[in-house]
Amino acid sequence: MKTLNMNYRNAIQRCQRCVVCLIMLVSGGCAQLPENDVSAKVKDSRPLLFPPPPEPARFVFERAIYGSADVVSAKEESALKKLVVGSTERGGSEPMGKPYAVAVHRGRVYVSDTVARIVHVFDVPEGRYFKIGENDPGRLRKPLGIDVDGAGNLYVADATTKYILVFDRDGNFLRQIGGPKMFDRLTSVTVDKSGEHLFVVDIGGVSSENHRVRVLDAHDGKLNFDIGKRGNGPGEFNLPRDVAIGKDGNLYVVDGANFRIQVFDASGKYLRNFGQVGKEFGSFARPKEASTDAQGNLYVIDAAFGNFQIFSPGDELLLFIGDRASEDGPAQYMLPSGIYVDEDGRVYMVDQWFRKVEVYRPVTLTAQDGFLVKKAVPVEK
């Protein structure tokens, strides 16, 4: 990837001048979420490319998911709407309340929802929608971070119960791990593809010294070791937010209030860090979640900038996507929170304020390729 051209840099500088005010805005937890509107649809038929011309495009905006109507076939959605009399909300009969995090396995998109207290499941290839966490056992109270292993098992960090709840690919409850004795403020869970190890963020707080990443056995929940403690030195954290596992097996930890990414090897040994607070490229204002792709690039969401930044395995800023906006639209965000890169390199980004998940496709992948393609439906004779 090439670095940003001057026009693209100037655009983000204008966007980020008001970062201090924006941080204050997004910190308000009592603001009422807006109604999703049909005007949020893409009005221009031309593809939305990143970076914009004349730079060679790397990603194209592909689609947005607001609710079940964006995935379920029209016939099935009509049946669902009969259960919700008079429903006219964007996203159909099952819109999202306040989405937080996203994980994807073979075209099946899982989205945690802190208001609905469930995980939404949008199965694009099958054209179906269902929910996880409504019933006991496995009832969810406040699902935050989520992840999937290579087999498609789903891991959910529940901030209220302080358990990691584990479900199979179809939402059947398997087990729970952790609990109040294990975590102070559970916020995020990451699992390796083998499904053997969990990297769980205990975010800490003003009254807690436990700002750390806890590494657990994914089967029995046994604590293997901890990474980090409260502080601002190498290997120390101040309100850590998320963990991403790189192509090389290294751990990339979003160190939120230290405004940086810290890198550790799989055993928890500190390697390096990059980033700082500021408005410059490669800096952070309110970093939240991170994900990696098959090439080892790191994708980091920043809620204050309203975008995600892409860094090379050498920690170089390659590209950013998204702008902060007060009105909904493609690549427009008010409160982005979750990010995930799937097996094909598609990038999924959650915005809590506009209650959506947006999908970006690498230009090297056609719209007909990969798992996020709806299966052909046989024609009825």
Side-chain angles (χ1 to χ4, degrees):
M1 291 186 181
K2 295 182 179 180
T3 54
L4 305 174
N5 63 18
M6 187 57 67
N7 291 336
Y8 205 36
R9 289 174 180 266
N10 290 339
I12 194 62
Q13 285 177 332
R14 291 194 299 270
C15 178
Q16 293 178 354
R17 285 171 185 163
C18 299
V19 64
V20 175
C21 293
L22 296 173
I23 293 175
M24 294 176 63
L25 173 62
V26 299
S27 298
C30 299
Q32 184 176 358
L33 296 175
E35 293 294 327
N36 289 322
D37 196 286
V38 177
S39 63
K41 293 182 178 180
V42 181
K43 297 179 181 179
D44 195 330
S45 61
R46 293 174 298 178
L48 187 58
L49 302 174
F50 302 91
E55 290 291 318
R58 304 297 179 181
F59 286 92
V60 58
F61 176 86
E62 188 168 57
R63 64 183 298 167
I65 299 174
Y66 292 85
S68 58
D70 296 304
V71 174
V72 177
S73 67
K75 181 178 180 180
E76 293 174 339
E77 183 66 18
S78 177
L80 285 172
K81 285 183 178 180
K82 292 180 180 179
L83 300 177
V84 187
V85 179
S87 176
T88 59
E89 285 198 72
R90 175 74 176 93
S93 58
E94 291 292 346
M96 291 182 280
K98 191 176 183 182
Y100 182 87
V102 58
V104 185
H105 182 261
R106 294 179 175 265
R108 183 171 285 185
V109 183
Y110 301 88
V111 184
S112 60
D113 191 325
T114 58
V115 168
R117 300 182 181 183
I118 59 170
V119 172
H120 302 271
V121 186
F122 304 99
D123 192 320
V124 177
E126 298 292 341
R128 58 187 291 248
Y129 165 86
F130 60 96
K131 307 172 188 177
I132 294 175
E134 285 187 301
N135 304 307
D136 293 316
R139 185 184 297 273
L140 298 171
R141 309 297 181 183
K142 188 178 181 180
L144 291 178
I146 60 176
D147 201 7
V148 290
D149 62 24
N153 296 310
L154 176 69
Y155 300 76
V156 184
D158 193 303
T160 297
T161 65
K162 301 183 181 181
Y163 279 100
I164 304 296
L165 284 78
V166 187
F167 304 85
D168 68 15
R169 192 173 189 270
D170 295 319
N172 299 304
F173 177 70
L174 300 178
R175 61 188 180 278
Q176 64 183 22
I177 294 171
K181 294 182 179 180
M182 180 69 73
F183 306 112
D184 283 357
R185 289 181 61 198
L186 175 62
T187 183
S188 172
V189 59
T190 301
V191 60
D192 57 17
K193 292 304 178 185
S194 66
E196 297 296 324
H197 302 98
L198 299 180
F199 303 88
V200 186
V201 173
D202 203 356
I203 194 172
V206 175
S207 60
S208 172
E209 295 298 317
N210 293 325
H211 297 231
R212 60 192 176 181
V213 175
R214 314 212 80 180
V215 183
L216 311 178
D217 184 290
H219 300 287
D220 61 18
K222 179 182 178 181
L223 176 65
N224 293 331
F225 57 91
D226 285 332
I227 301 174
K229 62 179 182 178
R230 188 176 187 178
N232 56 17
E236 297 177 341
F237 302 125
N238 187 8
L239 302 179
R241 300 304 303 254
D242 194 25
V243 178
I245 303 174
K247 177 184 178 182
D248 53 9
N250 288 338
L251 308 175
Y252 295 80
V253 182
V254 179
D255 189 4
N258 284 326
F259 309 99
R260 64 187 178 182
I261 302 296
Q262 296 207 63
V263 188
F264 303 81
D265 68 15
S267 68
K269 178 183 177 181
Y270 170 81
L271 300 177
R272 66 185 188 277
N273 71 75
F274 64 93
Q276 63 283 318
V277 64
K279 296 181 287 185
E280 298 80 13
F281 302 109
S283 298
F284 301 108
R286 198 182 180 199
K288 297 195 75 172
E289 282 205 349
S291 188
T292 59
D293 64 19
Q295 290 72 46
N297 299 314
L298 180 70
Y299 300 65
V300 184
I301 272 192
D302 197 299
F305 295 161
N307 66 15
F308 63 89
Q309 301 183 86
I310 307 174
F311 298 88
S312 74
D315 309 335
E316 175 191 10
L317 177 65
L318 301 175
L319 179 68
F320 69 86
I321 294 178
D323 289 299
R324 191 163 189 85
S326 58
E327 294 185 4
D328 193 9
Q332 303 294 299
Y333 306 106
M334 174 62 78
L335 191 55
S337 57
I339 192 166
Y340 194 88
V341 182
D342 75 5
E343 306 94 329
D344 302 311
R346 283 182 166 93
V347 183
Y348 302 74
M349 183 168 176
V350 175
D351 188 273
Q352 294 181 288
W353 186 261
F354 295 126
R355 294 182 287 169
K356 65 181 179 180
V357 178
E358 291 194 335
V359 186
Y360 298 86
R361 173 172 46 83
V363 295
T364 54
L365 188 74
T366 72
Q368 291 73 42
D369 291 333
F371 290 108
L372 200 73
V373 177
K374 191 166 184 177
K375 293 182 179 179
V377 178
V379 178
E380 296 182 3
K381 296 183 179 180

